[in-house]
């Protein structure tokens, strides 16, 4: 699966959060496409990038409940109505559309009656409306609130969740997670040198056994529910 | 009352709708401030303009369920969090905030289940959230759908409604409308030359009498309701 990350940030080199996420994106099969780094927007080239992707992500810091103006400029130029409809062919049809939104505010502020008085989901409605018009499949928003306050453990958890958001089969079910972790673990072990490979394979076996145990447990539970035990 | 219209349109000279609205804005006491005409955005000067206004309007054509990128650029630069909060003084507090949105689509498309699958109100939520944060008073959205399809009568009606949106006391009650029309009629008659002034004053008298009749009728209705007749 090819994932295209349309990143918008006016000062990306100074953004620790974006640099951190970029490293994560490099661990999985993605294209990192930073809008503000483009000399000029080549509409046809951008549209081709979109057509070639299976999953399209808009990633940005939340400025006034929306993306920075750089992404809006890109939208206004690249996403012609004609391209989104494609004269009835809908070139983005069935592609997945996701949003990665970083914010300096805590998530609890994004509620009615709280400080921001709007939910993150409501603020993202205009982007979803475009995706809907293009008959895309809409993913839930991946929010990154207050990155700088996270300790190292939470940052690592964020990184894995982000990598899954970019590359894991959706919906985010237990089965799809297992498959993703299994795949990642296999790749990791195959890269180890011979000395570590023995230990690596032991871990892999344990993971696979646990997965099988879990699967059997699930089957047993189903049987009990159906009264077939 | 001083009304500031922040207009965003990348090709305003080619927009018949914006030129038409501009003429209307000149009939009432407003400042027409076109963002894309600015050589550069002078943040302090823009903030001063906002502080001096009683009613602030964002006016733009709907591009992808939001303003053109020019307004977002202006927002990202001018509306610092510090300015909106003003270190707890809230410089925009109690000012009115309105939105004038033109669109090529009919309003019926802006519903869930319809073509656009988002209401205009939902699309405008990010702007309202800014106004809310600044403790402003939020006006309903003034939408201008499919201007080119309007016949001359509907265009004239639109113009009057637009002028009222810019300058009438809100809420849009019968009393506030009457006052606004009375004021406009007075100004109009005072500008007539002596020959026409006689007819003008007759019209003005009729309007005032009708208003008084209506007012008396209202009082009578109230008394009947209260059983005092």
């Amino acid at each position: 699966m090819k994932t295209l990350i349309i990143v918008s940030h006016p000062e990306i080199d100074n953004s620790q959060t974006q640099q951190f996420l970029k490293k994560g994106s490099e661990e999985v099969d993605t294209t990192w496409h930073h809008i503000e780094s483009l000399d000029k927007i080549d509409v046809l080239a951008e549209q081709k990038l979109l057509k070639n992707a299976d999953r399209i992500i808009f990633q940005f810091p939340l400025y006034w409940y929306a993306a920075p103006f750089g992404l809006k400029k890109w939208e206004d130029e690249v996403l012609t109505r004609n391209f989104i409809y494609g004269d009835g062919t809908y070139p983005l049809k069935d592609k997945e559309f996701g949003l990665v939104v970083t914010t300096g505010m805590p998530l609890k502020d994004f509620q009615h009656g709280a400080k921001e008085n709007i939910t993150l989901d409501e603020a993202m409605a205009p982007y979803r409306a475009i995706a809907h018009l293009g008959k895309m499949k809409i993913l839930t928003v991946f929010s990154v609130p207050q990155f700088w306050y996270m300790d190292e453990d939470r940052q690592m958890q964020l990184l894995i969740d982000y990598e899954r958001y970019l590359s894991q089969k959706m919906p985010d079910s237990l089965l799809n997670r297992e498959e993703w972790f299994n795949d990642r673990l296999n790749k990791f072990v195959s890269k180890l040198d011979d000395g570590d490979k023995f230990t690596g394979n032991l871990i892999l076996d344990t993971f696979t056994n646990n997965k099988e145990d879990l699967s059997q447990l699930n089957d047993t539970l189903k049987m009990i529910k159906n009264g077939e035990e």
Side-chain angles (χ1 to χ4, degrees), chain A:
Chain A
M1 194 189 62
K2 282 177 288 182
T3 298
L4 173 66
I5 316 167
I6 307 282
V7 188
S8 176
H9 194 299
E11 295 177 66
I12 198 157
D13 293 337
N14 297 329
S15 166
Q16 278 186 31
T17 320
Q18 295 298 332
Q19 296 307 321
F20 184 79
L21 294 176
K22 190 176 184 192
K23 267 184 216 154
S25 78
E26 288 163 359
E27 294 293 317
V28 284
D29 188 18
T30 59
T31 303
W32 179 273
H33 191 62
H34 179 235
I35 295 306
E36 284 86 354
S37 295
L38 300 171
D39 284 335
K40 66 182 284 291
I41 297 173
D42 179 340
V43 172
L44 289 180
E46 297 297 303
Q47 290 181 347
K48 199 177 162 191
L49 264 176
L50 293 168
K51 278 185 201 166
N52 285 339
D54 302 306
R55 182 174 295 174
I56 296 163
I57 309 285
F58 283 4
Q59 178 175 314
F60 51 82
L62 195 70
Y63 289 0
W64 293 127
Y65 314 107
F69 80 88
L71 185 62
K72 191 60 176 47
K73 184 169 191 285
W74 181 91
E75 281 176 49
D76 288 356
E77 296 184 22
V78 174
L79 303 181
T80 60
R81 282 236 161 204
N82 203 30
F83 174 69
I84 296 292
Y85 298 135
D87 295 323
T89 61
Y90 295 92
L92 305 182
K93 191 180 172 187
D94 291 335
K95 294 180 190 299
E96 289 167 313
F97 175 74
L99 288 155
V100 175
V101 184
T102 69
T103 164
M105 309 296 158
L107 268 192
K108 68 174 175 51
D109 283 359
F110 291 93
Q111 297 181 67
H112 289 264
K115 195 174 174 193
E116 308 292 345
N117 211 48
I118 184 174
T119 69
L120 208 52
D121 232 40
E122 285 169 338
M124 295 301 105
Y127 303 106
R128 270 199 309 274
I130 303 173
H132 177 86
L133 206 61
K135 297 188 188 291
M136 299 174 78
K137 288 180 195 159
I138 293 164
L139 305 180
T140 56
V141 176
F142 185 88
S143 63
V144 185
Q146 301 192 296
F147 176 75
W148 339 286
Y149 294 157
M150 292 183 190
D151 59 26
E152 207 176 326
D153 276 2
R154 278 194 63 203
Q155 288 189 349
M156 288 319 295
Q157 181 63 52
L158 168 72
L159 203 66
I160 297 293
D161 289 345
Y162 176 64
E163 290 178 24
R164 291 198 302 110
Y165 189 76
L166 296 179
S167 63
Q168 182 192 292
K169 194 178 166 190
M170 293 293 172
D172 189 12
S173 62
L174 186 60
L175 187 70
N176 287 335
R177 281 191 198 199
E178 272 177 4
E179 257 180 37
W180 188 85
F181 277 109
N182 191 43
D183 190 51
R184 282 299 300 276
L185 204 52
N186 263 303
K187 273 184 194 149
F188 178 74
V189 169
S190 72
K191 276 187 226 157
L192 293 175
D193 53 36
D194 287 349
D196 293 327
K197 205 162 242 168
F198 181 76
T199 319
N201 275 320
L202 268 182
I203 295 172
L204 199 57
D205 282 351
T206 309
F207 180 80
T208 311
N209 285 338
N210 282 349
K211 225 175 69 175
E212 280 165 6
D213 284 354
L214 204 64
S215 172
Q216 275 174 12
L217 203 62
N218 249 323
D219 287 347
T220 311
L221 275 171
K222 263 188 209 156
M223 280 197 291
I224 291 173
K225 274 188 190 159
N226 293 337
E228 289 175 34
E229 184 65 304

